[in-house]
């Protein structure tokens, strides 16, 4: 068999792992930013997708009550969006204890300096100043992430720009392990998603905490109302004022959900004041709604059968465990722990 981007020389599919913290329900930005990047990988790679609840605990340990329901919501969002349990291994991190064992073993060889130097560490300490994050677990967040990835000897990790430092650290850890104990881990590569991101309805970065996000499962009538009052190019104060779609937060949605003809119609009509913003937003809302409808329908179906979702996650955990257990046998043996 020939070597391709998706398979190594032995013809085995390359392994992909990614994860998300269950800290809230997903929004349209997560769909376009992350999930739409994962979904096509299922065809070509051996994919593992983890709901990383222990990572949620590193910041929310003092109020873990909502994590459980967020796990369920996240599983529904993933399945609704098109993660396919027949092709991918979908599981909850805490159901696979090998992640914890590998995290512990890796922690022995990770220099503290590497962790203090991770840019997101100090940043998050500052941003989440309402929480006491001067903890061992929070400092070790990237080691736990490295364990997630290395437990499957994953080769490709689809993530956003903000995760590059964590991936770099994972590679450093793998390199250090291999040089001390012998080659056990491949060095995983980040597969960065395209940067085109959807802004929130107020024009800032779409984020649940800003209250500007369009939820994946949002009522479509409410969604239309919020789009109607969405921020546009401030130059278009009156209907007769021409605008520039490139500075308007509505336009990225067109670029994502509208046809080429519609995008050209918006571009022209906006610059020439030939169309009104409400008209423009109406077309966008129609297209977004058409995109979300089948996702919401599938979500409702799964939500009506929680036992099915539990079974999917249970099967996923079993498959993940088998793989991770094999890695851990190799790790223990390399470290002389058998
Ligand atoms: N740190 C990642 C984030 O915040 C989540 C994550 C945890 C992850 N473990 C992972 C991502 C392993 C990729 C691979 O988005
Ligand atoms: Fe934005 Fe459309 Fe209005 Fe132009 S016409 S400013 S792209 S909403």
């Amino acid at each position: 068999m020939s070597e391709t981007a998706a398979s190594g020389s032995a013809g085995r599919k390359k392994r992909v792992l990614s994860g998300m913290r269950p800290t809230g329900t997903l929004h349209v930005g997560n769909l376009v930013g992350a999930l739409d990047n994962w979904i096509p990988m299922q065809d070509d790679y051996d994919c593992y997708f983890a709901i990383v609840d222990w990572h949620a605990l590193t910041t929310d340990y003092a109020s873990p009550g909502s994590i459980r329901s967020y796990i369920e919501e996240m599983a529904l969002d993933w399945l609704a969006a098109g993660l396919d349990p027949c092709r991918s291994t979908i599981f909850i991190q805490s159901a696979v204890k090998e992640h914890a064992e590998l995290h512990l073993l890796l922690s022995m060889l990770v220099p503290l300096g590497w962790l203090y130097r991770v840019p997101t560490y100090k940043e998050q300490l500052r941003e989440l100043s309402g929480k006491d994050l001067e903890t061992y677990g929070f400092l070790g967040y990237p080691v736990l992430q490295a364990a997630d990835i290395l437990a499957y000897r994953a080769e490709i990790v689809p993530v956003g720009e903000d995760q590059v430092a964590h991936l770099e650290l994972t590679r450093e850890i793998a390199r250090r392990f291999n040089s001390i104990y012998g080659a056990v881990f491949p060095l995983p590569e980040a597969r960065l998603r395209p940067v085109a991101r959807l802004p929130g309805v107020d024009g800032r970065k779409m984020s649940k905490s800003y209250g500007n996000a369009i939820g994946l499962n949002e009522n479509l009538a409410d969604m239309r109302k919020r789009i109607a009052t969405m921020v546009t190019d401030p130059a278009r104060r009156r209907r007769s004022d021409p605008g520039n779609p490139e500075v308007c937060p509505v336009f990225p949605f067109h670029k994502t959900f509208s046809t080429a003809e519609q995008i050209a119609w918006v571009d022209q009509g906006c610059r020439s004041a030939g169309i009104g913003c409400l008209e423009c937003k109406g077309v966008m809302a129609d297209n977004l709604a058409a995109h979300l409808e089948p996702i919401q329908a599938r979500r409702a179906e799964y939500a009506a059968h929680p036992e099915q979702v539990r079974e999917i996650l249970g099967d996923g955990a079993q498959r993940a465990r088998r793989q991770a257990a094999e890695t851990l046998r190799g790790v223990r043996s390399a470290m002389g722990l058998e």
Side-chain angles (χ1 to χ4, degrees):
M1 202 179 277
S2 72
E3 192 163 341
T4 68
S7 60
S9 51
R12 177 181 70 76
K13 278 185 179 173
K14 282 194 183 171
R15 209 165 286 149
V16 163
L17 179 130
S18 199
M20 275 187 211
R21 287 179 306 142
T23 51
T25 51
L26 294 190
H27 55 63
V28 174
N30 302 128
L31 176 69
V32 170
L35 287 172
D36 279 354
N37 206 24
W38 294 4
I39 288 161
M41 296 185 110
Q42 301 181 108
D43 291 327
D44 302 320
Y45 299 97
D46 182 18
C47 291
Y48 289 78
F49 298 116
I51 298 175
V52 290
D53 53 340
W54 281 336
H55 277 104
L57 215 48
T58 63
T59 51
D60 298 350
Y61 64 87
S63 51
S66 45
I67 294 177
R68 191 198 169 87
S69 75
Y70 287 146
I71 291 173
E72 290 164 13
E73 298 290 332
M74 181 157 277
L76 290 175
D77 285 335
W78 282 10
L79 294 167
L83 290 195
D84 174 4
C86 296
R87 289 180 292 161
S88 298
T89 302
I90 302 169
F91 66 101
I92 300 170
Q93 178 191 40
S94 65
V96 184
K97 307 303 181 204
E98 282 77 3
H99 291 232
E101 183 181 354
L102 186 54
H103 171 244
L104 178 119
L105 294 175
L106 295 176
S107 76
M108 304 301 167
L109 57 102
V110 179
L112 281 174
W114 290 7
L115 299 177
Y116 286 123
R117 234 180 285 128
V118 174
T120 43
Y121 176 65
K122 288 203 179 73
E123 213 175 279
Q124 292 263 64
L125 273 187
R126 234 179 299 113
E127 264 175 42
L128 304 175
S129 56
K131 297 174 181 174
D132 179 5
L133 295 180
E134 305 273 355
T135 59
Y136 180 53
F138 186 64
L139 182 65
Y141 181 110
V143 184
L144 183 56
Q145 182 164 353
D148 295 342
I149 297 165
L150 299 177
Y152 302 92
R153 284 163 288 165
E155 290 142 301
I156 296 169
V157 184
V159 282
E161 204 74 60
D162 62 322
Q163 295 296 310
V164 168
H166 287 166
L167 252 291
E168 203 37 63
L169 190 70
T170 300
R171 293 164 61 85
E172 291 297 333
I173 293 172
R175 231 180 253 126
R176 187 166 163 97
F177 185 100
N178 290 347
S179 80
I180 300 175
Y181 304 110
V184 171
F185 300 118
L187 302 184
E189 273 171 37
R191 176 72 54 88
L192 291 187
R193 56 176 171 247
V195 272
R197 314 248 323 277
L198 295 176
V201 291
D202 60 359
R204 293 188 292 168
K205 173 178 143 69
M206 190 184 289
S207 163
K208 205 176 166 232
S209 56
Y210 292 163
N212 66 359
I214 297 174
L216 210 54
N217 200 34
E218 186 165 321
N219 174 284
L220 294 180
D222 293 343
M223 182 198 80
R224 281 173 195 279
K225 280 186 212 141
R226 290 177 64 224
I227 289 173
T229 60
M230 192 170 164
V231 169
T232 61
D233 176 2
R236 294 210 71 185
R237 288 185 43 231
R238 278 171 305 241
R239 168 72 174 75
S240 53
D241 294 329
N244 175 7
E246 294 299 342
V247 303
C248 175
V250 176
F251 200 46
F253 285 84
H254 277 297
K255 285 183 177 163
T256 309
F257 300 108
S258 299
T259 64
E261 289 76 32
Q262 288 169 328
I263 295 169
W265 169 79
V266 171
D267 194 59
Q268 266 217 325
C270 181
R271 292 177 195 280
S272 63
I275 61 170
C277 287
L278 266 183
E279 198 182 353
C280 175
K281 289 168 164 180
V283 171
M284 184 275 265
D286 286 344
N287 293 336
L288 177 55
H291 190 85
L292 293 182
E293 254 161 24
I295 295 176
Q296 295 192 351
R298 195 150 43 191
R299 196 184 198 282
E301 230 165 87
Y302 277 115
H305 298 283
E307 72 290 346
Q308 210 177 318
V309 176
R310 264 196 301 276
E311 194 183 319
I312 289 169
L313 294 173
D315 284 353
Q318 211 171 7
R319 262 167 22 211
R321 220 175 284 134
R322 209 170 317 132
Q323 208 40 258
E326 190 187 316
T327 301
L328 264 294
R329 275 194 294 277
V331 166
R332 282 184 221 112
S333 143
M335 295 179 81
L337 293 170
E338 278 184 321

